[in-house]
Amino acid sequence: MGRFFITTPIYYVNDVPHIGHAYTTSAADVAARFHRQLGEDVFFLTGTDEHGTKVEQAASARGLSPKEHVDEVVQKFKDVAVKVGASNDFFIRTTDPQHEKFVQQFVQKCYDKGDIYKSSYSGLYCPACEAYYIEENLVDGLCPDHGTKPVYMEEDNYFFRLSAFQDRLAAFYKSRPDFVRPKHRYNEALSFIEQGLEDISVSRATLKWGIGVPWDESQVIYVWVDALINYLSALHYAPGDDLVARFWPADYHMMAQDILKFHGIIWPALLMSAGYELPEHLFIHGYLKLGGEKMSKTRGNVMDPFPLIERYGADPFRFYCLREVSFGQDGMVSEEGFKARYNTELANELGNLVSRSTSMIGKYRGGAVPAPPAGRDQAALEGTGSPLAVEANDTADKARAQLEDMDLSGALETIWVFVRRLNRYVEEQAPWKLAKEAGAEGSAGVSAAAALDGTLWDLAEGLRLLSVLLHPFIPQTCAAIRERLGLEPVAAEAGAEGRLPDPSWDGARWGLLPAGLTVVAGAPLFPRIED
Ligand code: ME8
């Protein structure tokens, strides 16, 4: 059995979550669910990054202690995971005592290896990035990412000998051309390494809110070092057997480009120093942009995912983000765009397909899925009967390959072509005409009735197949579709536990639907949004 370990970044709790966080978590959830559908042993990790200057400042601005602040804000991030329907196996907090202990052991290993030494630092620091900057990397004297003015800092720090890892990192990148995906992000990271790496400060003398340096408790460990180690520490104490042996190295760390350097350079170097294997891949998706700018908490131009999810549900939100934005590239999002796509694709295309198919089975066959005419399916699979069988299997194969390749929006497009194909099929076959003709006397009536049986069975089978293929993207909707087809008990009950079962990808084959299921039409899956 294969295994699959995927992570999201652990989000900063200096402020409340926004749509960008919900996006990464949703995308990672799509991958996690798909790999569970393949029958793999999956571990999906998300969580929060709770130490550092930003959090300390946010807490003091509210008149709270850092711990009081993080305990309150963490709930909002836990909520994001629940609300987007994420099936994460664990939620790590960097204030978990087990994490703190593991981080100390990890950095002690690097220190014992001689990769950490004490020196003094002076320079410009952006608290929002939690990173030092050199003058030439600033834009008009401001942080390129946050547009804020860096502050001058001078202190004795412990440094990590990143420079000593330059050749090993470059060799690693050369040996693993798909370590960072998409390719242009790999090139970016490699060229950064090739430009030359400088040692980095990995402790802070003035900050209190952090994990103590084990050999010098007057300093705390730099928040980024503390944070990166979460991917490994979580496996040491999350519930489950032998998680480290089962899941390390991670298959995918998913994130946006803002934190590529930390994951593509510092993290591998730290792992090399402490003697661990390196992750298989980083996947760098793009930024969701609002009004042309990257949304960020520091900039204050954020789109709150909660009202959208509360009004329309998790599935439309997941669907919108993964359909609107080509996965791996930046893309614009807006509430108007969300509503437009919801109405045209979810309400008019998918929702309508489900309701017309199920109601025709109700109207013409008393709600029981008819058996297709004898021998027809075999013929269809050989390409001589219904064209849907061949197209359906091609769709499933292509979507699988794209999902395996982390082309999430590409897979969704492939599947959507088939949604549209099914709608055209309804028009082509015109079951309402067949139903009229079936009422006629003699052989014409008999063959129209058989054609109607075949068409209705095809539509039910098409929906069943879609409920497997679309499951990673819109799991609640897919459970509802299977329920309407009489394949599964009430979806709402499964949803209440927050974890819908992932139907096996073995079902992604045409021809598996048994006849005789009792179908119910039900209310529209996606009531239109009227302004
Ligand atoms: O960087 N579009 O946390 P963070 C798409 N704690 N994704 C976005 C986004 C946007 N506009 N804005 C944020 C941190 N994201 C560190 C991580 S990991 C060891 C430590 C997503 O709260 C995206 O995944 O600033 C981005 O990389 C991440 O949130 C940054 O989250």
Side-chain angles (χ1 to χ4, degrees):
M1 182 171 65
R3 52 119 234 194
F4 188 74
F5 176 26
I6 186 163
T7 68
T8 72
I10 49 170
Y11 306 115
Y12 281 130
V13 289
N14 56 317
D15 205 343
V16 293
H18 63 74
I19 197 170
H21 303 117
Y23 177 55
T24 312
T25 302
S26 300
D29 188 60
V30 170
R33 286 185 185 275
F34 166 67
H35 282 269
R36 284 197 210 97
Q37 287 186 279
L38 295 181
E40 293 176 9
D41 190 19
V42 171
F43 199 79
F44 170 22
L45 179 67
T46 186
T48 41
D49 185 355
E50 305 190 1
H51 292 125
T53 321
K54 272 202 283 191
V55 175
E56 195 176 60
Q57 286 172 349
S60 90
R62 297 179 63 209
L64 297 175
S65 74
K67 182 74 170 109
E68 284 166 339
H69 170 75
V70 296
D71 283 348
E72 188 189 305
V73 180
V74 72
Q75 201 47 50
K76 301 201 169 107
F77 282 89
K78 287 188 167 170
D79 279 357
V80 179
V82 172
K83 290 196 170 151
V84 302
S87 58
N88 54 300
D89 295 283
F90 190 58
F91 188 100
I92 187 170
R93 299 182 58 181
T94 55
T95 49
D96 291 341
Q98 302 96 317
H99 168 79
E100 296 184 346
K101 190 163 157 239
F102 185 84
V103 168
Q104 290 188 319
Q105 289 165 350
F106 188 106
V107 296
Q108 183 74 52
K109 280 187 192 162
C110 304
Y111 186 64
D112 294 345
K113 275 272 201 72
D115 291 329
I116 293 179
Y117 63 94
K118 196 168 188 179
S119 184
S120 68
Y121 187 89
S122 62
L124 295 168
Y125 188 74
C126 170
C129 296
E130 297 278 12
Y132 288 107
Y133 273 95
I134 50 171
E135 201 87 49
E136 64 210 50
N137 290 342
L138 300 175
V139 179
D140 300 330
L142 304 177
C143 164
D145 213 22
H146 296 96
T148 47
K149 200 169 165 51
V151 290
Y152 181 78
M153 290 244 297
E154 191 174 348
E155 52 178 45
D156 272 355
N157 283 173
Y158 288 96
F159 280 73
F160 177 67
R161 257 180 242 288
L162 188 60
S163 58
F165 289 86
Q166 170 155 351
D167 293 345
R168 270 180 282 174
L169 283 170
F172 171 74
Y173 267 71
K174 295 275 162 57
S175 72
R176 295 268 290 276
D178 60 353
F179 173 56
V180 180
R181 305 187 55 212
K183 194 69 187 178
H184 65 283
R185 299 295 177 198
Y186 168 93
N187 292 335
E188 231 175 87
L190 178 59
S191 89
F192 191 80
I193 294 168
E194 285 172 341
Q195 278 163 29
L197 299 176
E198 289 182 12
D199 294 352
I200 54 160
S201 151
V202 291
S203 72
R204 295 289 179 268
T206 46
L207 179 69
K208 293 279 161 291
W209 183 236
I211 302 174
V213 171
W215 59 90
D216 179 354
E217 285 282 343
S218 73
Q219 302 234 355
V220 299
I221 295 167
Y222 175 40
V223 65
W224 262 106
V225 171
D226 160 359
L228 288 163
I229 296 171
N230 91 87
Y231 301 128
L232 195 50
S233 73
L235 296 180
H236 285 81
Y237 69 94
D241 297 328
D242 301 327
L243 297 181
V244 181
R246 263 162 73 196
F247 293 111
W248 193 258
D251 292 271
Y252 274 96
H253 292 316
M254 197 174 269
M255 72 204 78
Q257 60 265 41
D258 50 347
I259 53 179
L260 169 60
K261 279 186 200 161
F262 294 98
H263 286 79
I265 295 158
I266 299 176
W267 181 221
L270 286 170
L271 288 166
M272 284 174 179
S273 170
Y276 289 95
E277 279 186 75
L278 307 199
E280 296 290 336
H281 307 286
L282 312 182
F283 194 97
I284 314 300
H285 64 62
Y287 288 141
L288 300 188
K289 295 185 165 189
L290 198 64
E293 272 196 344
K294 180 205 168 195
M295 267 176 269
S296 89
K297 287 174 289 198
T298 316
R299 284 178 196 268
N301 63 332
V302 298
M303 184 165 159
D304 183 353
F306 288 148
L308 280 184
I309 295 174
E310 260 143 38
R311 277 176 70 186
Y312 308 109
D315 283 3
F317 170 78
R318 296 162 66 108
F319 176 81
Y320 172 66
C321 293
L322 285 151
R323 185 108 173 96
E324 187 76 11
V325 181
S326 180
F327 198 59
Q329 289 171 32
D330 292 351
M332 293 282 286
V333 291
S334 66
E335 206 166 318
E336 299 76 64
F338 170 87
K339 289 180 180 168
R341 219 175 248 286
Y342 176 104
N343 279 339
T344 52
E345 298 191 339
L346 290 177
N348 291 359
E349 295 179 345
L350 181 60
N352 198 24
L353 175 68
V354 173
S355 72
R356 69 209 295 214
S357 305
T358 51
S359 64
M360 286 189 297
I361 293 170
K363 189 164 166 197
Y364 303 132
R365 291 294 178 263
V369 176
R376 203 202 63 146
D377 274 312
Q378 200 45 43
L381 284 172
E382 286 160 14
T384 55
S386 159
L388 292 184
V390 173
E391 284 179 64
N393 287 338
D394 287 351
T395 301
D397 291 343
K398 186 171 173 194
R400 176 181 177 143
Q402 288 169 310
L403 283 163
E404 280 177 338
D405 194 39
M406 210 48 94
D407 179 7
L408 307 184
S409 50
L412 190 48
E413 167 63 17
T414 298
I415 302 165
W416 217 256
V417 169
F418 190 66
V419 170
R420 292 181 175 149
R421 174 71 189 99
L422 285 170
N423 274 319
R424 279 204 317 280
Y425 187 66
V426 176
E427 301 304 324
E428 286 163 17
Q429 298 298 111
W432 45 92
K433 282 194 195 146
L434 292 173
K436 257 195 203 143
E437 289 160 23
E441 298 281 314
S443 64
V446 172
S447 78
L452 181 58
D453 281 349
T455 301
L456 295 177
W457 185 88
D458 281 344
L459 291 175
E461 172 61 346
L463 293 181
R464 183 202 61 79
L465 185 75
L466 284 177
S467 81
V468 178
L469 304 183
L470 285 172
H471 169 79
F473 299 94
I474 46 174
Q476 289 173 359
T477 304
C478 291
I481 293 174
R482 286 194 298 278
E483 188 193 329
R484 284 169 193 218
L485 291 175
L487 286 165
E488 238 165 57
V490 185
E493 283 171 17
E497 289 161 24
R499 181 91 176 235
L500 291 166
D502 301 296
S504 168
W505 197 265
D506 292 347
R509 251 2 287 124
W510 184 262
L512 302 177
L513 184 80
L517 292 171
T518 305
V519 168
V520 289
L525 285 176
F526 302 103
R528 280 185 65 83
I529 302 175
E530 309 290 352
D531 275 325

